[in-house]
Amino acid sequence: MVKVGIVGLGLIGGSLGIDLRHQGFKVLGVARQRVTCQIAKHRGIVDKADFNLDILAKAEIIFICTPIDAIVPTLERIIPHISADTIVTDVGSVKESIVRTCSELWPNFVGGHPMAGTTEQGIDAAQANLFQGAAYVFTPIENTPQAAVSELKAIARSLGCVTYTCSPEEHDRAVAWISHLPVTISASLIKACIGESSASVADLARKLASSGFRDTSRVGGGNPELGKMMAQYNRDNLLRSLGQYRDSLTQFIEAIDREDWASLEKLLESTRQARSEFI
Amino acid sequence: MVKVGIVGLGLIGGSLGIDLRHQGFKVLGVARQRVTCQIAKHRGIVDKADFNLDILAKAEIIFICTPIDAIVPTLERIIPHISADTIVTDVGSVKESIVRTCSELWPNFVGGHPMAGTTEQGIDAAQANLFQGAAYVFTPIENTPQAAVSELKAIARSLGCVTYTCSPEEHDRAVAWISHLPVTISASLIKACIGESSASVADLARKLASSGFRDTSRVGGGNPELGKMMAQYNRDNLLRSLGQYRDSLTQFIEAIDREDWASLEKLLESTRQARSEFI
């Protein structure tokens, strides 16, 4: 029975535990808080759980499922407890800085990013089949052992994921467009709306807000700590995307300002067509 | 049996016909194309349909359900065919310019905006219960007969709508925030993403795009003609909202640029809290 360690039993770590146990793995969980370990065992998310890192000694594969800023420190802390052939991977939504550092610390490290989630956080949000149909990106670099990548891809596919492989740099540039940029522009929408100076208009806007506003503002109303860390760890790519976004916005504003309705309709026609290639 | 006329048998007009007939009204439909009239009769959307405006002679209430730019010309065309006590309303998503003009042409005119829809268009998209739970805004002005407003509100409520009353100006300013601004920023997102210069990153972004991108880009991938008309008929309010939006965006960009993560997290915390007041 292959033993898998999971460090960090939140939404992602907990949901991974449930699905990996279903796949027949023996799951060893690590959480800082005793109560999280108890919940994980009680709900059958893990076979064993402890706050002591010794529990990882026999793990063949370890998933680091902590917040982004804790990934490198966590790897440093677990290294003294694990055997040299252990495959270590993470689930962070930013890859370049993490993968470079972790691969130096641990040659058998593979960066990974399962693109699944809900608006909830913590072990209480852990659920079966969270990864069904999701993209799971692996970001090996020059020295990453191919066997480790293959083993992780097979596990990801067994969870129902569609796997992709690319460089950490390509990953970060792509997610800046489709994940980190949407968070920023969606949050800016909410920020702008709350600036309406007329109380009666603001009140009416709140009452009339329906599916269009709900969808466009959704990711801007998410976890602030995660939003901050995405920007912090993917700053250059995000700023680059934001710059291009502001230029696009200006094109729309200028077309409306000079009442160039033909250009505006052409712009909207091009975005309608382009969206179908993404969705 | 109260007779209701519907001019324009598309998504909104057709769906209104279905629900009004369920409520026991006799529905008289007008469409430009003979085939639309045939489909409307065949599907039981109307009791009678014709391209000849004489069919409206006995209607007590008329809904103009044409595109925004056809509302005023349609009213001008039907006036010679209808009796002086007929209540006329429209369903346009912009109100100020329409209501001022129509009320001068027809004293018994009431501006209205049922905030329901799908991404589909045309009579084939017409469906029962489209208005269930939707907001329906009426925008009377100084001289609008109160009895006409009351009668229309009662009909809207019978369709399952929550009714609101405000001035055309307040309506247009509120929908600029929650409807027209989201369309523009969402379209700008798509426009920016297709500008990625690396083919491999662009390809990866398309593959990885999931719920966050899907939701944030949805309304920017809608009907270009409708998007253009919203901007055209609500230009000043939309430009005002866009200006404030660009200022908000700049605040986010500046916080990220100067690596002021505490301010960024505070901004994201405020937008998370504010969103819950809208949704």
Side-chain angles (χ1 to χ4, degrees):
Chain A
M1 209 182 210
V2 178
K3 294 184 184 66
V4 175
I6 298 178
V7 186
L9 298 172
L11 168 67
I12 299 295
S15 301
L16 262 179
I18 296 170
D19 285 2
L20 289 172
R21 286 193 73 212
H22 276 173
Q23 294 297 321
F25 293 96
K26 178 159 183 177
V27 176
L28 311 164
V30 175
R32 282 185 181 212
Q33 294 187 53
R34 198 182 291 264
V35 61
T36 310
C37 295
Q38 285 165 344
I39 294 169
K41 282 184 282 190
H42 179 73
R43 282 190 54 195
I45 288 172
V46 296
D47 292 284
K48 287 184 183 180
D50 208 319
F51 54 86
N52 189 324
L53 297 171
D54 280 340
I55 194 177
L56 299 172
K58 298 239 170 111
E60 290 151 73
I61 300 165
I62 294 173
F63 289 82
I64 300 179
C65 301
T66 65
I68 298 170
D69 59 353
I71 295 172
V72 172
T74 299
L75 178 59
E76 287 171 331
R77 283 173 52 235
I78 67 173
I79 283 177
H81 300 267
I82 64 178
S83 66
D85 54 353
T86 307
I87 298 170
V88 181
T89 187
D90 76 315
V91 299
S93 53
V94 177
K95 300 266 61 88
E96 188 177 352
S97 59
I98 289 165
V99 172
R100 298 282 158 199
T101 311
C102 290
S103 296
E104 278 177 31
L105 290 167
W106 194 253
N108 220 5
F109 180 87
V110 184
H113 180 201
M115 299 187 67
T118 70
T119 52
E120 306 299 311
Q121 297 163 245
I123 193 159
D124 293 332
Q127 55 182 260
N129 300 316
L130 181 67
F131 305 99
Q132 194 68 49
Y136 200 133
V137 191
F138 291 100
T139 58
I141 55 173
E142 311 79 59
N143 307 320
T144 308
Q146 188 51 52
V149 179
S150 300
E151 196 160 340
L152 289 170
K153 283 179 102 166
I155 291 175
R157 279 194 292 264
S158 79
L159 304 180
C161 295
V162 183
T163 62
Y164 296 96
T165 309
C166 64
S167 71
E169 293 75 14
E170 284 175 318
H171 168 276
D172 287 1
R173 213 161 132 174
V175 296
W177 284 120
I178 53 100
S179 172
H180 306 167
L181 176 61
V183 166
T184 317
I185 70 176
S186 174
S188 300
L189 168 63
I190 303 169
K191 178 78 185 152
C193 288
I194 56 183
E196 165 60 52
S197 56
S198 154
S200 65
V201 171
D203 184 51
L204 189 64
R206 277 193 291 272
K207 282 176 182 151
L208 299 185
S210 64
S211 61
F213 183 83
R214 185 176 62 233
D215 287 358
T216 317
S217 68
R218 185 176 66 80
V219 295
N223 180 352
E225 199 195 348
L226 182 60
K228 179 199 72 175
M229 275 192 225
M230 283 171 168
Q232 205 169 352
Y233 283 80
N234 202 17
R235 176 177 171 274
D236 294 350
N237 288 311
L238 178 54
L239 282 176
R240 185 174 153 274
S241 292
L242 276 165
Q244 288 186 233
Y245 173 72
R246 190 156 51 175
D247 292 345
S248 297
L249 184 72
T250 301
Q251 259 188 280
F252 280 88
I253 293 176
E254 285 177 356
I256 296 167
D257 192 47
R258 63 172 189 265
E259 306 190 35
D260 182 353
W261 309 123
S263 293
L264 180 65
E265 193 167 358
K266 213 182 279 179
L267 276 169
L268 291 168
E269 187 53 65
S270 73
T271 58
R272 168 157 77 171
Q273 279 177 19
R275 184 172 184 266
S276 61
E277 292 170 29
F278 282 84
I279 303 301
Chain B
M1 209 181 207
V2 177
K3 296 185 183 65
V4 175
I6 299 179
V7 186
L9 297 172
L11 167 67
I12 299 294
S15 300
L16 262 180
I18 296 170
D19 286 2
L20 289 173
R21 286 193 73 212
H22 276 174
Q23 295 297 321
F25 292 96
K26 178 158 185 178
V27 175
L28 311 166
V30 174
R32 283 184 181 211
Q33 294 188 53
R34 197 181 292 262
V35 60
T36 309
C37 295
Q38 285 164 344
I39 294 170
K41 282 184 281 189
H42 179 74
R43 282 190 54 195
I45 289 172
V46 296
D47 291 283
K48 289 183 182 178
D50 208 318
F51 54 87
N52 189 325
L53 296 171
D54 280 339
I55 195 179
L56 299 171
K58 298 239 169 110
E60 290 150 73
I61 301 166
I62 293 172
F63 289 83
I64 299 179
C65 301
T66 65
I68 298 170
D69 59 352
I71 295 171
V72 172
T74 299
L75 178 59
E76 287 171 332
R77 283 174 50 236
I78 67 174
I79 283 176
H81 301 266
I82 64 180
S83 68
D85 54 354
T86 308
I87 298 170
V88 180
T89 187
D90 75 317
V91 299
S93 52
V94 177
K95 299 265 61 90
E96 187 177 351
S97 59
I98 289 166
V99 171
R100 298 282 156 197
T101 310
C102 290
S103 296
E104 278 176 31
L105 290 167
W106 194 255
N108 221 5
F109 179 87
V110 184
H113 180 201
M115 299 185 69
T118 70
T119 52
E120 306 300 310
Q121 297 163 246
I123 193 159
D124 293 331
Q127 55 183 259
N129 300 315
L130 181 68
F131 305 98
Q132 195 68 49
Y136 201 133
V137 190
F138 291 101
T139 58
I141 55 173
E142 310 78 61
N143 308 319
T144 308
Q146 187 51 51
V149 179
S150 301
E151 195 159 340
L152 289 169
K153 283 178 103 166
I155 292 176
R157 279 193 293 263
S158 79
L159 303 179
C161 295
V162 182
T163 61
Y164 297 96
T165 308
C166 63
S167 70
E169 293 75 14
E170 283 174 318
H171 168 276
D172 287 0
R173 212 161 135 174
V175 296
W177 284 120
I178 53 101
S179 171
H180 306 169
L181 176 61
V183 167
T184 316
I185 70 176
S186 174
S188 299
L189 168 63
I190 303 169
K191 178 79 185 152
C193 287
I194 56 183
E196 166 61 51
S197 55
S198 154
S200 65
V201 171
D203 184 51
L204 189 64
R206 277 193 291 271
K207 281 175 182 151
L208 299 185
S210 64
S211 61
F213 183 83
R214 185 177 61 233
D215 286 359
T216 317
S217 68
R218 185 176 65 81
V219 295
N223 180 353
E225 199 195 349
L226 183 60
K228 180 201 71 174
M229 274 191 224
M230 283 172 167
Q232 205 169 353
Y233 283 80
N234 202 16
R235 176 178 171 272
D236 295 350
N237 288 311
L238 178 55
L239 282 176
R240 185 174 153 275
S241 292
L242 276 165
Q244 288 186 232
Y245 172 74
R246 189 155 54 175
D247 292 345
S248 298
L249 184 72
T250 300
Q251 260 188 280
F252 279 88
I253 293 176
E254 285 177 356
I256 297 168
D257 191 48
R258 65 172 189 266
E259 306 189 36
D260 181 354
W261 309 122
S263 292
L264 180 65
E265 193 168 357
K266 213 181 278 178
L267 275 169
L268 291 168
E269 185 55 63
S270 74
T271 58
R272 169 158 74 171
Q273 280 177 19
R275 184 171 183 266
S276 61
E277 292 170 30
F278 281 83
I279 305 299

